[in-house]
mmCIF file of all heavy atoms in Angstrom:
data_model
loop_
_atom_site.group_PDB
_atom_site.id
_atom_site.type_symbol
_atom_site.label_atom_id
_atom_site.label_comp_id
_atom_site.label_asym_id
_atom_site.label_seq_id
_atom_site.Cartn_x
_atom_site.Cartn_y
_atom_site.Cartn_z
ATOM 1 N N ASP A 190 16.136 44.150 4.806
ATOM 2 C CA ASP A 190 16.774 44.800 5.968
ATOM 3 C C ASP A 190 17.036 43.806 7.100
ATOM 4 O O ASP A 190 17.379 44.242 8.164
ATOM 5 C CB ASP A 190 15.873 45.946 6.431
ATOM 6 C CG ASP A 190 15.950 47.099 5.483
ATOM 7 O OD1 ASP A 190 16.929 47.636 5.184
ATOM 8 O OD2 ASP A 190 14.861 47.452 4.887
ATOM 9 N N THR A 193 20.284 43.797 9.269
ATOM 10 C CA THR A 193 21.059 45.025 9.102
ATOM 11 C C THR A 193 20.815 45.968 10.351
ATOM 12 O O THR A 193 20.169 45.545 11.300
ATOM 13 C CB THR A 193 20.623 45.857 7.822
ATOM 14 O OG1 THR A 193 19.223 46.391 8.074
ATOM 15 C CG2 THR A 193 20.539 44.862 6.599
ATOM 16 N N ASN A 194 21.386 47.161 10.243
ATOM 17 C CA ASN A 194 21.195 48.070 11.397
ATOM 18 C C ASN A 194 19.871 48.774 11.274
ATOM 19 O O ASN A 194 19.534 49.585 12.129
ATOM 20 C CB ASN A 194 22.306 49.111 11.391
ATOM 21 C CG ASN A 194 22.462 49.806 10.049
ATOM 22 O OD1 ASN A 194 21.562 49.969 9.229
ATOM 23 N ND2 ASN A 194 23.679 50.292 9.732
ATOM 24 N N GLY A 195 19.071 48.529 10.238
ATOM 25 C CA GLY A 195 17.736 48.984 10.140
ATOM 26 C C GLY A 195 17.593 50.391 9.455
ATOM 27 O O GLY A 195 16.487 50.805 9.196
ATOM 28 N N VAL A 196 18.642 51.055 9.133
ATOM 29 C CA VAL A 196 18.479 52.443 8.595
ATOM 30 C C VAL A 196 17.885 52.383 7.239
ATOM 31 O O VAL A 196 17.387 53.397 6.779
ATOM 32 C CB VAL A 196 19.835 53.122 8.507
ATOM 33 C CG1 VAL A 196 20.433 53.353 9.928
ATOM 34 C CG2 VAL A 196 20.828 52.621 7.645
ATOM 35 N N GLY A 197 17.944 51.200 6.550
ATOM 36 C CA GLY A 197 17.336 51.108 5.229
ATOM 37 C C GLY A 197 15.827 51.231 5.184
ATOM 38 O O GLY A 197 15.251 51.560 4.186
ATOM 39 N N ILE A 204 18.149 58.837 6.974
ATOM 40 C CA ILE A 204 19.445 58.069 6.752
ATOM 41 C C ILE A 204 20.553 58.984 6.675
ATOM 42 O O ILE A 204 21.612 58.647 7.334
ATOM 43 C CB ILE A 204 19.312 57.244 5.351
ATOM 44 C CG1 ILE A 204 18.233 56.131 5.547
ATOM 45 C CG2 ILE A 204 20.638 56.557 5.119
ATOM 46 C CD1 ILE A 204 17.936 55.486 4.141
ATOM 47 N N LYS A 207 21.454 59.950 10.230
ATOM 48 C CA LYS A 207 22.044 58.865 10.990
ATOM 49 C C LYS A 207 23.571 58.750 10.599
ATOM 50 O O LYS A 207 24.401 58.565 11.434
ATOM 51 C CB LYS A 207 21.352 57.519 10.696
ATOM 52 C CG LYS A 207 19.968 57.429 11.321
ATOM 53 C CD LYS A 207 20.042 57.127 12.718
ATOM 54 C CE LYS A 207 18.689 56.916 13.316
ATOM 55 N NZ LYS A 207 18.689 56.758 14.801
ATOM 56 N N ALA A 208 23.782 58.936 9.322
ATOM 57 C CA ALA A 208 25.100 58.935 8.823
ATOM 58 C C ALA A 208 26.079 60.102 9.348
ATOM 59 O O ALA A 208 27.126 59.879 9.805
ATOM 60 C CB ALA A 208 25.223 58.911 7.324
ATOM 61 N N ALA A 211 26.712 59.441 13.029
ATOM 62 C CA ALA A 211 27.753 58.329 13.296
ATOM 63 C C ALA A 211 29.092 58.957 12.980
ATOM 64 O O ALA A 211 30.106 58.738 13.706
ATOM 65 C CB ALA A 211 27.551 57.214 12.371
ATOM 66 N N ARG A 334 20.628 49.765 -3.413
ATOM 67 C CA ARG A 334 21.476 49.119 -2.375
ATOM 68 C C ARG A 334 22.783 48.682 -3.061
ATOM 69 O O ARG A 334 22.698 48.320 -4.244
ATOM 70 C CB ARG A 334 20.837 47.884 -1.653
ATOM 71 C CG ARG A 334 19.682 48.459 -0.831
ATOM 72 C CD ARG A 334 18.738 47.389 -0.380
ATOM 73 N NE ARG A 334 17.589 47.951 0.386
ATOM 74 C CZ ARG A 334 17.471 47.901 1.685
ATOM 75 N NH1 ARG A 334 18.372 47.382 2.517
ATOM 76 N NH2 ARG A 334 16.386 48.422 2.207
ATOM 77 N N ASP A 335 23.832 48.554 -2.380
ATOM 78 C CA ASP A 335 25.124 48.308 -2.976
ATOM 79 C C ASP A 335 26.001 47.590 -1.901
ATOM 80 O O ASP A 335 25.516 47.262 -0.736
ATOM 81 C CB ASP A 335 25.733 49.516 -3.489
ATOM 82 C CG ASP A 335 26.834 49.185 -4.609
ATOM 83 O OD1 ASP A 335 27.198 48.056 -4.747
ATOM 84 O OD2 ASP A 335 27.263 50.172 -5.287
ATOM 85 N N GLN A 336 27.221 47.376 -2.223
ATOM 86 C CA GLN A 336 28.276 46.883 -1.355
ATOM 87 C C GLN A 336 29.579 47.612 -1.518
ATOM 88 O O GLN A 336 29.975 47.853 -2.697
ATOM 89 C CB GLN A 336 28.500 45.323 -1.434
ATOM 90 C CG GLN A 336 27.469 44.465 -0.858
ATOM 91 C CD GLN A 336 27.967 43.061 -0.565
ATOM 92 O OE1 GLN A 336 29.149 42.746 -0.688
ATOM 93 N NE2 GLN A 336 27.064 42.137 -0.144
ATOM 94 N N ILE A 337 30.209 47.978 -0.464
ATOM 95 C CA ILE A 337 31.565 48.601 -0.464
ATOM 96 C C ILE A 337 32.445 47.866 0.461
ATOM 97 O O ILE A 337 32.157 47.913 1.703
ATOM 98 C CB ILE A 337 31.425 50.118 -0.148
ATOM 99 C CG1 ILE A 337 30.528 50.816 -1.163
ATOM 100 C CG2 ILE A 337 32.779 50.737 -0.065
ATOM 101 C CD1 ILE A 337 30.265 52.356 -0.856
ATOM 102 N N ILE A 340 30.705 45.442 2.753
ATOM 103 C CA ILE A 340 29.700 45.967 3.709
ATOM 104 C C ILE A 340 28.542 46.464 2.831
ATOM 105 O O ILE A 340 28.631 47.216 1.909
ATOM 106 C CB ILE A 340 30.226 47.175 4.532
ATOM 107 C CG1 ILE A 340 31.466 46.708 5.373
ATOM 108 C CG2 ILE A 340 29.173 47.755 5.347
ATOM 109 C CD1 ILE A 340 32.195 47.839 6.098
ATOM 110 N N ARG A 341 27.339 45.929 3.267
ATOM 111 C CA ARG A 341 26.140 46.418 2.501
ATOM 112 C C ARG A 341 25.821 47.821 2.781
ATOM 113 O O ARG A 341 25.990 48.361 3.952
ATOM 114 C CB ARG A 341 24.923 45.499 3.030
ATOM 115 C CG ARG A 341 24.990 44.048 2.640
ATOM 116 C CD ARG A 341 23.830 43.242 3.241
ATOM 117 N NE ARG A 341 24.068 43.131 4.681
ATOM 118 C CZ ARG A 341 23.174 42.568 5.501
ATOM 119 N NH1 ARG A 341 22.102 41.931 4.928
ATOM 120 N NH2 ARG A 341 23.469 42.368 6.764
ATOM 121 N N THR A 342 25.358 48.566 1.724
ATOM 122 C CA THR A 342 25.096 49.963 1.869
ATOM 123 C C THR A 342 23.694 50.261 1.187
ATOM 124 O O THR A 342 23.226 49.444 0.375
ATOM 125 C CB THR A 342 26.149 50.819 1.184
ATOM 126 O OG1 THR A 342 26.117 50.664 -0.226
ATOM 127 C CG2 THR A 342 27.515 50.534 1.725
ATOM 128 N N ILE A 343 23.182 51.456 1.552
ATOM 129 C CA ILE A 343 22.077 52.041 0.792
ATOM 130 C C ILE A 343 22.401 53.501 0.359
ATOM 131 O O ILE A 343 23.201 54.097 1.134
ATOM 132 C CB ILE A 343 20.810 52.048 1.688
ATOM 133 C CG1 ILE A 343 19.642 52.516 0.821
ATOM 134 C CG2 ILE A 343 20.974 52.976 2.926
ATOM 135 C CD1 ILE A 343 18.281 52.355 1.450
ATOM 136 N N LYS A 344 22.100 53.829 -0.839
ATOM 137 C CA LYS A 344 22.426 55.122 -1.422
ATOM 138 C C LYS A 344 21.372 56.224 -0.980
ATOM 139 O O LYS A 344 20.257 55.829 -0.973
ATOM 140 C CB LYS A 344 22.544 54.993 -2.884
ATOM 141 C CG LYS A 344 23.741 54.234 -3.330
ATOM 142 C CD LYS A 344 23.851 54.099 -4.842
ATOM 143 C CE LYS A 344 24.879 53.060 -5.332
ATOM 144 N NZ LYS A 344 26.201 53.451 -4.941
ATOM 145 N N VAL A 345 21.841 57.357 -0.698
ATOM 146 C CA VAL A 345 21.059 58.548 -0.536
ATOM 147 C C VAL A 345 21.496 59.578 -1.572
ATOM 148 O O VAL A 345 22.643 59.934 -1.564
ATOM 149 C CB VAL A 345 20.998 59.114 0.873
ATOM 150 C CG1 VAL A 345 20.117 60.294 0.944
ATOM 151 C CG2 VAL A 345 20.609 58.086 1.834
ATOM 152 N N LEU A 356 25.468 59.565 -1.497
ATOM 153 C CA LEU A 356 26.171 59.084 -0.307
ATOM 154 C C LEU A 356 25.793 57.605 -0.052
ATOM 155 O O LEU A 356 24.578 57.225 -0.098
ATOM 156 C CB LEU A 356 25.721 59.820 0.858
ATOM 157 C CG LEU A 356 26.345 59.688 2.268
ATOM 158 C CD1 LEU A 356 27.927 60.123 2.232
ATOM 159 C CD2 LEU A 356 25.622 60.432 3.363
ATOM 160 N N ASP A 357 26.743 56.709 0.127
ATOM 161 C CA ASP A 357 26.523 55.440 0.537
ATOM 162 C C ASP A 357 26.718 55.207 2.012
ATOM 163 O O ASP A 357 27.784 55.501 2.527
ATOM 164 C CB ASP A 357 27.602 54.466 -0.236
ATOM 165 C CG ASP A 357 27.131 54.090 -1.688
ATOM 166 O OD1 ASP A 357 27.440 54.921 -2.555
ATOM 167 O OD2 ASP A 357 26.531 53.023 -1.867
ATOM 168 N N VAL A 358 25.610 54.706 2.625
ATOM 169 C CA VAL A 358 25.596 54.616 4.033
ATOM 170 C C VAL A 358 25.593 53.070 4.414
ATOM 171 O O VAL A 358 24.843 52.322 3.850
ATOM 172 C CB VAL A 358 24.300 55.292 4.695
ATOM 173 C CG1 VAL A 358 24.291 55.139 6.137
ATOM 174 C CG2 VAL A 358 24.368 56.797 4.281
ATOM 175 N N ALA A 359 26.322 52.734 5.433
ATOM 176 C CA ALA A 359 26.506 51.319 5.859
ATOM 177 C C ALA A 359 25.193 50.745 6.419
ATOM 178 O O ALA A 359 24.557 51.452 7.206
ATOM 179 C CB ALA A 359 27.602 51.149 6.808
ATOM 180 N N LEU A 360 24.919 49.574 5.977
ATOM 181 C CA LEU A 360 23.687 48.898 6.604
ATOM 182 C C LEU A 360 24.187 47.815 7.513
ATOM 183 O O LEU A 360 23.355 47.205 8.248
ATOM 184 C CB LEU A 360 22.926 48.165 5.463
ATOM 185 C CG LEU A 360 22.111 49.087 4.499
ATOM 186 C CD1 LEU A 360 21.440 48.229 3.358
ATOM 187 C CD2 LEU A 360 21.023 49.748 5.332
ATOM 188 N N ASP A 361 25.474 47.555 7.647
ATOM 189 C CA ASP A 361 26.077 46.648 8.580
ATOM 190 C C ASP A 361 26.826 47.465 9.704
ATOM 191 O O ASP A 361 27.592 48.319 9.381
ATOM 192 C CB ASP A 361 27.035 45.621 7.883
ATOM 193 C CG ASP A 361 26.356 44.828 6.854
ATOM 194 O OD1 ASP A 361 25.266 44.365 7.147
ATOM 195 O OD2 ASP A 361 27.001 44.597 5.828
ATOM 196 N N GLY A 362 26.526 47.146 10.909
ATOM 197 C CA GLY A 362 27.150 47.810 12.052
ATOM 198 C C GLY A 362 26.577 49.347 12.092
ATOM 199 O O GLY A 362 25.486 49.630 11.682
ATOM 200 N N ALA A 363 27.471 50.269 12.512
ATOM 201 C CA ALA A 363 27.045 51.624 12.607
ATOM 202 C C ALA A 363 26.898 52.190 11.253
ATOM 203 O O ALA A 363 27.542 51.895 10.333
ATOM 204 C CB ALA A 363 28.245 52.378 13.419
ATOM 205 N N PRO A 364 25.887 53.159 11.168
ATOM 206 C CA PRO A 364 25.542 53.609 9.799
ATOM 207 C C PRO A 364 26.605 54.640 9.244
ATOM 208 O O PRO A 364 26.233 55.861 9.047
ATOM 209 C CB PRO A 364 24.206 54.215 9.950
ATOM 210 C CG PRO A 364 24.112 54.628 11.390
ATOM 211 C CD PRO A 364 24.965 53.574 12.135
ATOM 212 N N TYR A 365 27.740 54.326 9.230
ATOM 213 C CA TYR A 365 28.764 55.240 8.752
ATOM 214 C C TYR A 365 28.665 55.535 7.208
ATOM 215 O O TYR A 365 28.273 54.714 6.454
ATOM 216 C CB TYR A 365 30.256 54.672 8.984
ATOM 217 C CG TYR A 365 30.674 54.683 10.414
ATOM 218 C CD1 TYR A 365 31.062 53.448 10.946
ATOM 219 C CD2 TYR A 365 30.700 55.804 11.195
ATOM 220 C CE1 TYR A 365 31.413 53.440 12.316
ATOM 221 C CE2 TYR A 365 31.095 55.677 12.539
ATOM 222 C CZ TYR A 365 31.469 54.487 13.060
ATOM 223 O OH TYR A 365 31.813 54.399 14.420
ATOM 224 N N PRO A 366 28.965 56.764 6.817
ATOM 225 C CA PRO A 366 29.165 57.081 5.343
ATOM 226 C C PRO A 366 30.312 56.363 4.911
ATOM 227 O O PRO A 366 31.368 56.477 5.454
ATOM 228 C CB PRO A 366 29.191 58.546 5.313
ATOM 229 C CG PRO A 366 29.721 59.003 6.629
ATOM 230 C CD PRO A 366 29.237 58.045 7.651
ATOM 231 N N LEU A 367 30.242 55.561 3.792
ATOM 232 C CA LEU A 367 31.340 54.837 3.286
ATOM 233 C C LEU A 367 31.932 55.359 1.928
ATOM 234 O O LEU A 367 32.966 55.092 1.571
ATOM 235 C CB LEU A 367 31.000 53.278 3.079
ATOM 236 C CG LEU A 367 30.478 52.582 4.435
ATOM 237 C CD1 LEU A 367 30.345 51.154 4.061
ATOM 238 C CD2 LEU A 367 31.633 52.734 5.479
ATOM 239 N N ARG A 368 31.085 56.025 1.232
ATOM 240 C CA ARG A 368 31.478 56.618 -0.063
ATOM 241 C C ARG A 368 30.574 57.844 -0.414
ATOM 242 O O ARG A 368 29.471 57.881 -0.233
ATOM 243 C CB ARG A 368 31.365 55.579 -1.178
ATOM 244 C CG ARG A 368 31.895 56.094 -2.575
ATOM 245 C CD ARG A 368 32.011 55.062 -3.610
ATOM 246 N NE ARG A 368 30.723 54.338 -3.752
ATOM 247 C CZ ARG A 368 30.666 53.152 -4.459
ATOM 248 N NH1 ARG A 368 31.676 52.611 -4.928
ATOM 249 N NH2 ARG A 368 29.422 52.625 -4.487
ATOM 250 N N LEU A 380 35.461 56.358 2.460
ATOM 251 C CA LEU A 380 35.690 56.635 3.896
ATOM 252 C C LEU A 380 35.680 55.210 4.530
ATOM 253 O O LEU A 380 34.753 54.424 4.408
ATOM 254 C CB LEU A 380 34.572 57.415 4.463
ATOM 255 C CG LEU A 380 34.295 58.868 3.861
ATOM 256 C CD1 LEU A 380 32.898 59.274 3.847
ATOM 257 C CD2 LEU A 380 35.188 59.883 4.519
ATOM 258 N N TRP A 383 36.843 53.334 10.071
ATOM 259 C CA TRP A 383 36.191 54.188 11.116
ATOM 260 C C TRP A 383 36.619 53.709 12.515
ATOM 261 O O TRP A 383 36.475 52.563 12.773
ATOM 262 C CB TRP A 383 34.622 54.082 10.901
ATOM 263 C CG TRP A 383 34.156 54.929 9.737
ATOM 264 C CD1 TRP A 383 33.887 54.377 8.452
ATOM 265 C CD2 TRP A 383 33.865 56.362 9.675
ATOM 266 N NE1 TRP A 383 33.329 55.475 7.717
ATOM 267 C CE2 TRP A 383 33.362 56.593 8.383
ATOM 268 C CE3 TRP A 383 34.050 57.396 10.579
ATOM 269 C CZ2 TRP A 383 33.114 57.933 8.034
ATOM 270 C CZ3 TRP A 383 33.687 58.587 10.259
ATOM 271 C CH2 TRP A 383 33.289 58.917 8.946
#
Side-chain angles (χ1 to χ4, degrees):
D190 291 302
T193 71
N194 54 27
V196 300
I204 295 172
K207 291 286 187 181
R334 293 167 187 257
D335 202 346
Q336 281 199 10
I337 297 177
I340 300 175
R341 292 174 290 178
T342 66
I343 186 166
K344 296 181 185 296
V345 181
L356 186 66
D357 278 84
V358 180
L360 290 173
D361 298 322
Y365 289 122
L367 299 185
R368 180 171 58 194
L380 303 150
W383 285 101

